Amino acid sequence: MSYGRFLLKRGLQGVVVVWGVVSIVFVLRFITPGNAVDAVAPLDASPELRERIAAELGLDQPLYVQYLDYLWELLNGDMGYSYISGIEASQMVFSKLPATIELAVASSIIAIGLSIPLGVISATRRHEPADYAATTFSLVGISTPNFWLGIMLILLLSVQFGIFPTSGRAFGFIEAFRIAANQGVGAGVDAFYQWLRFITLPAVTLGTYFTALITRLTRSGMLEELGQSYVRATRAKGLPESLIRYKHALRNTLIPVITVLGLQLGTLIGGAVITESVFSWPGLGTTLINAINTRDWPILQATLVVIGTGFVIVNLVVDAVYAYLDPQVVAE
Amino acid sequence: MISPRTLRNLRKELRSSALAKIGIVLVLAMILIAAFAPFIALHNPTNQNLDENNLPPMGFSRTTEETTSEMVNGSLELTNETVYVNASASHPMGTNSLGQDVYSRAVYGARTSMMVGVLGTLLAAVLGVSVGLVAGFYRGRVDDALMRFADVSLAFPSLVLAIALIGLWGRAAVDVPDPFVVLGLVDPVRSALGLPTGMPDSFVLPGTVIVVVGLVNWVWFARIARGEALSIREEEYVKAARALGASDARIIGRHVLPNATTPILVLATIQVAAIILLESSLSFLGFSGTTLSWGFDISQGRAYLSTAWWIATVPGLAIVLAVIGVNLVGDWLRDALDPGIEGEGVSEMADEILKVRNLTTRFFTEEGQVNAVEHVDFDVRDGEVFGIVGESGSGKSVTALSLIDLVETPGRITEGEVWYRDADLAEEHRDSHPEAVDGDYVDVRQLPEATRRWLRGPAFATIFQDPMSSLNPSITVGEQIAEAVEVQRRARANPRRTRSRTQGYGLGRLIAGAVLPSQSYVSEESEERAVELLERVGIPDPEQRAEEYPHEFSGGMLQRAMVAQALAGEPDVLIADEPTTALDVTIQAQILNLLTELQEEEDMSVVLITHNLGVIARMCQRVGVMYAGEVVERGSLEDVFENPVHPYTEGLLGSIPDIEDPAPRLSPIEGNVPSLLDAEMGEKCYFADRCPKAMTSCLTDIEEHEAPAATDDTDHLVRCILADREYDESEALGSAAKQG
C-alpha cells in the first residue's frame, strides 16, 4: 500500500469515528435525567409555553428526526444558541478554542523539548546521578495531580515571590502579534513578554505530567532498543556511538512514544480543563465546566463535539507521522 | 493463576529493587490509614470550630492584622495590631478555614481515594475484560463494532467525559456505616488512647463517581483483553480444546483468562493510580459526592494560599505519596512479570592474522558468576576459514563477541589477549602503549577504546545469526550498508581518529538528517558503493533493493545484505556467527558458497562459528572444538575430524548419523552441557561427568596436551589426558564408567 492510500484509508476511518463522537454526544442528552425544556422555561411556565419551547427546540419531533436534524445542523456548523446567554454556541466555542490550543501547544513544546533529551541521557547514563535524577523527577511528575502542582506554583512563584501573575490571560499569541504590527516593536516585545508571563505557569503545570511520562517512555524504549541485535551489528560495523544512539536507537524509540502520545492526547485535553480552572484561563475547559454547572446544553454539546473531533484530527496527524517513521505500518 | 515461578520473580525483583520496597510500604501505609481511619484521626474531620480556624501546623506561625475599636474621648478610634497565631498541639498539621483538623481530613480522605481507586478499577476491569474477551474471541462484526465503539469513547478525554456525565447525572452518594463504629470499637479505643470521641458513624461513598470512573476507563482493559484473546485463540491447545467440543465459556475461563492475568494485573495497578488522580481532579472541580476528599480540600485551600498555605499543601502531598506508591508497585509488577531487557547469552606466528590467548569472559548474573569463555587459545591464519564448533551454550558466540569487544553487560572480558597483526598500528602505539605491542602485532584488548572501535569494520567485520534482527527495521537496507561504507570513508579522510567518523556531522545535522535527505549522514558515493556491494553479494536488481526495508527482503537475501554490509570496511577478518542457522537448507548452501567465494577473492580470513559439523567439514581448513567455555581440541580439519582424541570430539562426531554405516557410529553423548556457574564448576575436566573414558586423574590434570598431527604445519592440541596415555579401566571414574 502506498503512503497516500494509507492516509486516505485512515482519513475515512477518522470520519467514521467523528460520526461516532457526535452520535454519542446526541445519545448523552437522552440518558440525562431532566428535560431540556426545564432548563429554558421559567419555573412558573404554563403548559402552553412549555409546549411552545419544546416545539422551538425541536423536542416534539420523533427521535430519528431530531437526530437527522442534529447531524444536518452540525454539518452546517450550527450548534444552537446558549440557553443562558443566547450567544451562538459555535461562535462561543470557537472564540475560546485558541486559548486552549495555545496552552496545549505550549505545554507540549515544554514536554517534548525536555523529556526526550532527559530520557536519552537517562538511558545512556544508566545508574549514574543523571539517571537517578531523571527517574525520580519522572516518578514524581506522573504522580502529582496537576491542579495541585499549579496551586503550589502559584503559592511559591506568584504569592511568595511575585514573579508570575496568579491567574488569567492578558491576550492571545495572535493579538500580541497584532499589537506588534500596529504599535511598533517596543510595544510588541512588551506584549509578548506579558503573554509569556501569563502562560508560563499554566503551561508548566500542564506540561509536567507529559514531560515525566515521555521521559519514562523514552528511557525504557531506548534501553530496550540499545539491547537489540541490530545495535550490536551496527556497533560491529564500526559506526560511532552517537550515530547508533541518535540515528538508529532513538528513531525506533520514538515510534512507540508517538503512539502513546496520540493516545495520551485525551489526558492532555483533560489536563487542560483542570489547569484552566486553576488559573482562570479563559479556554474550552472553563467553558465546559460553566456549561455543565448551568446545564447549558448547546454549549456543552458544542464543546464535546469540538474536543472529540479535535482529538480525532490530531490522532490522524500522529498516525501519519507514525507511518512516515515506521515503514512497516504502511505495509500492514 | 499465579504460578510459583511468577511468585519467585516477584520476590526476586522485590529483593533487588529498593523502589519496589518503598512502593509497597507506601501502599500498605495508605491501605492501613484508610482502613483504620477512625483510630488514626485526631478529630472528627467534619467538626467545625471557627474559633480555631486557619491554625498553622506545628513549627509554624501565622500573622494576622487585627483591628480593635475603642471609644476615646467620644470618638471611635481604630488600632491595627499584628497578632501572631501559633500552632496548637492538638492540630499538628493545622486547621482549615472552618477550623477542621487538616490531618484528620487527610486521613479520612485516604478512604475516599482508596475506595474510588479500587472500586472504580474493579468496575472498569470487569466491564473492559468482558467486552475485550468477547470481541477478541468471536472476532468478526462483534469485534469491529466493539472496537469502533472503543475508538470513539477514547476520543473524549476521561476527565471531560467524567465531568459531563457527573454534571448531567448528579452527584449521588451512598452512606456506608463505618464497621468499627457499628462494632462499638471506636469510642472505647479512642478514650483509652486519650483522643476525643464522636467520630462520624458512616462514610460517604461517592457512588456516581465510582460508576463514572469505571465507565470512562474500561477501554484500556478491553484493548488488552482483546489482544490476549486474539493471540491465545490461535494457540494449538486452544484449537484442540475447541475441536474436543469444549464450550466457549469454558475455553475463555480455562485458557484465555489465566493467560491474560499478568497484563491485566499490571494495567489495573496503573489504573488505580490514574483513578486516584482522576477522583482528586473531580472533587477539586466540585464534581464529587463527598467533601471528605483530598481534591476537595485542595480546592478549599486555594482561597487561602496567602494566609494558610497548609490547607492545600497537606492533602496534595498525600495524593503524591499515594500515587507514587501505587506507581512503584506497578513498576515492580511489570518488571517482575515481564522481564523485558535482559543480557543476551554469548570464539598462532608470521602468517597468523589473529592470535587469541587466554581469553576469558564471564557473566556476572544474579545467580552468580557464569564462566562463558575460559582461557581460550587459538590462531587464525591469513586467508583461511577457521571453524569454531560446539553445542549451544558452549561459549562459541561469546567468544566471537569477545573478539570484537562487544560483550554486553552483565558480561565482561576478564582476562586474555587478542593479538591482531597490523604493522602500522603497532608502530603507532609502540611508544604510547608499549605493553599492547609485540612486533607487528597489537593486543586489541590493551588499545585505547577509541582505537578499538576504529578497528571494527576495516579489521573485523561480523555477520550475526539472525539477519532480520541485525538490521534496523525502519531504515532502508541500502542506507544501512552505505553507513558502513561512509564510516570508513570518513575515517580514511583522517585516519586513526575516532572523531573523524562523524566529522562535520554534529547532533544538529543528525536531527536534520532524520527529516531532510540532503542532510543525511551518508554521502551519495557511499550509496553508490552500497549498491555495488549488494550486487557483489549476488542480489539481483540492487538499485531497487537498496531502497527497500528489511521486512521486504527474504531471509536469504537479507543475509546476503548483511554480508555486503560486512564487506563495506574491507575487513581482514570476517567473523560469521552461525550465519546460516536461521535460513532454509537450500539457502544455507548458497550463503556458504558466497562466503567461500568472497573469502578467496578478497583474501580475508574467516572465523566461522557453528554447531553444524557438516558446515565445518565443508568450509574450514582448521577447527577448534568448544565445550563448556573451553577449546577442548584444535588443529587441522583432518586431525580433529579424522583422528579425534578428546572423547567429546569423538562423541560429537559420533552423533552425526553416517549414511553408509549407520549402526556403529550413532552414539549420542549422554548427559547435558554442564552448568557454567562458577560456584558449580570445580578445577577438573568439565567433561569428566559425561565422559565414557574418565579416569581419576581427569579430576586433576586439565592441561592442554599435544597429540599426533598429520602434518608438521599445524599442531593438534587436546585438553585431555588421553593425548598422553591410554585409557586404563582400573582407574575409571565411578558412575561415568558405568554409563560407558
Side-chain angles (χ1 to χ4, degrees), chain B residues 408-421:
Chain B
E408 281 158 5
T409 47
R412 193 148 51 79
I413 305 172
T414 55
E415 251 183 279
E417 296 137 36
V418 178
W419 294 98
Y420 164 67
R421 197 188 67 222

Side-chain angles (χ1 to χ4, degrees), chain B residues 445-468:
Chain B
R445 295 241 313 115
Q446 296 190 56
L447 290 175
E449 166 72 27
T451 318
R452 246 181 307 175
R453 203 178 295 165
W454 187 87
L455 288 173
R456 289 177 207 146
F460 309 104
T462 315
I463 312 171
F464 294 99
Q465 175 172 343
D466 181 10
M468 193 48 126

Side-chain angles (χ1 to χ4, degrees), chain B residues 390-530:
Chain B
E391 294 169 271
S392 24
S394 61
K396 314 180 294 283
S397 294
V398 186
T399 305
L401 291 174
S402 302
L403 286 182
I404 47 174
D405 198 24
L406 281 180
V407 179
E408 281 158 5
T409 47
R412 193 148 51 79
I413 305 172
T414 55
E415 251 183 279
E417 296 137 36
V418 178
W419 294 98
Y420 164 67
R421 197 188 67 222
D422 183 328
D424 295 342
L425 203 61
E427 198 50 50
E428 193 183 333
H429 287 88
R430 206 176 294 282
D431 296 329
S432 56
H433 296 85
E435 71 287 351
V437 178
D438 180 10
D440 282 351
Y441 288 84
V442 285
D443 179 8
V444 175
R445 295 241 313 115
Q446 296 190 56
L447 290 175
E449 166 72 27
T451 318
R452 246 181 307 175
R453 203 178 295 165
W454 187 87
L455 288 173
R456 289 177 207 146
F460 309 104
T462 315
I463 312 171
F464 294 99
Q465 175 172 343
D466 181 10
M468 193 48 126
S469 67
S470 294
L471 286 165
N472 190 331
S474 53
I475 296 179
T476 62
V477 172
E479 182 171 353
Q480 296 192 58
I481 297 171
E483 279 179 345
V485 178
E486 180 71 22
V487 73
Q488 302 311 331
R489 204 180 65 88
R490 289 185 192 242
R492 267 197 302 278
N494 191 354
R496 304 286 188 262
R497 282 198 47 214
T498 358
R499 285 214 62 121
S500 63
R501 317 189 122 196
T502 45
Q503 209 167 35
Y505 202 79
L507 192 57
R509 288 198 51 198
L510 201 64
I511 292 165
V515 194
L516 306 169
S518 63
Q519 296 293 308
S520 164
Y521 173 74
V522 296
S523 61
E524 246 171 66
E525 296 148 57
S526 299
E527 276 169 14
E528 283 162 18
R529 174 79 182 131

Side-chain angles (χ1 to χ4, degrees), chain A residues 216 237-238 247-248 252 278, chain B residues 302 331 474 479 483 501:
Chain A
R216 265 168 91 95
K237 77 186 179 192
K247 178 172 174 184
H248 285 262
N252 288 355
V278 171
Chain B
R302 214 194 131 178
D331 286 352
S474 53
E479 182 171 353
E483 279 179 345
R501 317 189 122 196

Side-chain angles (χ1 to χ4, degrees), chain B residues 82-105:
Chain B
T82 305
V83 179
Y84 283 91
V85 180
N86 285 316
S88 148
S90 75
H91 298 290
M93 295 187 190
T95 58
N96 67 12
S97 56
L98 298 172
Q100 295 164 330
D101 185 43
V102 167
Y103 162 76
S104 304
R105 289 186 67 82

